[in-house]
Amino acid sequence: AQSVTQLDSQVPVFEEAPVELRCNYSSSVSVYLFWYVQYPNQGLQLLLKYLSGSTLVESINGFEAEFNKSQTSFHLRKPSVHISDTAEYFCAASRQGGSEKLVFGKGTKLTVNP
Amino acid sequence: NAGVMQNPRHLVRRRGQEARLRCSPMKGHSHVYWYRQLPEEGLKFMVYLQKENIIDESGMPKERFSAEFPKEGPSILRIQQVVRGDSAAYFCASSPLDFPNQPQHFGDGTRLSIL
């Protein structure tokens, strides 16, 4: 069975500081990996995904994540955060060749302070 | 291009009543997924449907919960005889045939409160 672990439930940072949100997965088979962002009272929006190929994937708003197979990790990073990045971030995995369901971590609340 | 539409956004029911949650997928999407989010928890998969077929219901509680995605109309998640523990946010997602190249798109959710 798959599982996704987000090690930090809350991450407070100051504006313009770098941030890393950690995600580890456990699976006996190959997986696809995703990061979603959720703003209050809204649904989830896809931030970026890893399917295959280059292990470093980037989003349009400055976030990036690196797939590390040996460490079974998919950490999310941003070199300089903005107040508007305050949200909850979810890491998710989907088994390759499976039923397409997403297995989510418990989420990390990122709070960017001025 | 409208996104995934869920209604109602908020639903209040008393214990023992029925709750019906509706989800209209994005245009052109033939796959629908339902997830439940409990407070301080991530989303938990419930069921995956295609038109008129349940593909994976491994996350559905064995009793009181059912889901359908008819040939015409929205997908419905139905909870019979609701209990306090059913209080949660229920999210619907949809995707076209080309998952995962085309990812799952989420609606804004239905927040169910049980009195």
Side-chain angles (χ1 to χ4, degrees):
Chain A
Q2 295 166 255
S3 66
V4 175
T5 302
Q6 291 182 247
L7 297 167
D8 305 298
S9 59
Q10 298 190 45
V11 173
V13 294
F14 288 108
E15 195 174 16
E16 298 183 5
V19 71
E20 178 180 81
L21 306 183
R22 296 180 291 171
C23 172
N24 287 85
Y25 69 93
S26 171
S27 177
S28 57
V29 298
S30 296
V31 295
Y32 303 119
L33 294 163
F34 307 83
W35 275 100
Y36 280 86
V37 58
Q38 184 181 33
Y39 298 99
N41 297 314
Q42 293 185 23
L44 278 70
Q45 300 172 32
L46 181 69
L47 203 54
L48 43 75
K49 62 185 179 186
Y50 170 77
L51 304 183
S52 64
S54 173
T55 58
L56 185 65
V57 290
E58 298 176 352
S59 72
I60 57 172
N61 55 357
F63 283 95
E64 63 179 31
E66 186 163 16
F67 170 61
N68 188 317
K69 189 173 182 179
S70 63
Q71 296 185 8
T72 61
S73 68
F74 191 54
H75 301 332
L76 182 70
R77 301 184 183 96
K78 190 171 184 180
S80 175
V81 293
H82 302 289
I83 299 282
S84 59
D85 293 324
T86 295
E88 190 153 20
Y89 293 79
F90 291 94
C91 182
S94 176
R95 186 168 69 96
Q96 291 188 25
S99 80
E100 305 181 4
K101 67 182 181 185
L102 294 172
V103 176
F104 285 89
K106 290 189 175 183
T108 298
K109 287 184 183 174
L110 174 65
T111 302
V112 181
N113 298 302
Chain B
N1 191 13
V4 178
M5 304 300 292
Q6 289 188 249
N7 65 83
R9 289 294 308 276
H10 300 273
L11 181 61
V12 180
R13 285 287 178 268
R14 295 189 181 279
R15 281 178 293 171
Q17 291 184 320
E18 178 180 287
R20 280 183 179 244
L21 287 62
R22 287 177 290 277
C23 168
S24 296
M26 286 181 69
K27 187 176 181 180
H29 286 194
S30 55
H31 299 199
V32 165
Y33 315 80
W34 286 94
Y35 295 85
R36 177 164 62 176
Q37 185 179 32
L38 294 168
E40 308 301 321
E41 296 281 331
L43 279 72
K44 301 286 188 195
F45 168 78
M46 299 182 75
V47 63
Y48 160 37
L49 310 104
Q50 295 178 17
K51 288 281 187 183
E52 298 184 286
N53 281 307
I54 296 175
I55 306 302
D56 181 355
E57 56 181 349
S58 58
M60 286 281 269
K62 293 289 183 279
E63 298 176 346
R64 301 188 298 108
F65 285 72
S66 61
E68 63 176 7
F69 188 18
K71 188 175 180 181
E72 302 290 338
S75 175
I76 306 287
L77 180 67
R78 182 182 178 204
I79 311 173
Q80 294 179 291
Q81 299 176 315
V82 295
V83 300
R84 288 254 170 89
D86 296 332
S87 294
Y90 292 82
F91 289 94
C92 170
S94 72
S95 70
L97 283 171
D98 195 24
F99 180 87
N101 294 310
Q102 298 297 325
Q104 294 179 24
H105 293 262
F106 283 78
D108 285 344
T110 294
R111 275 129 187 104
L112 175 64
S113 297
I114 309 301
L115 301 179

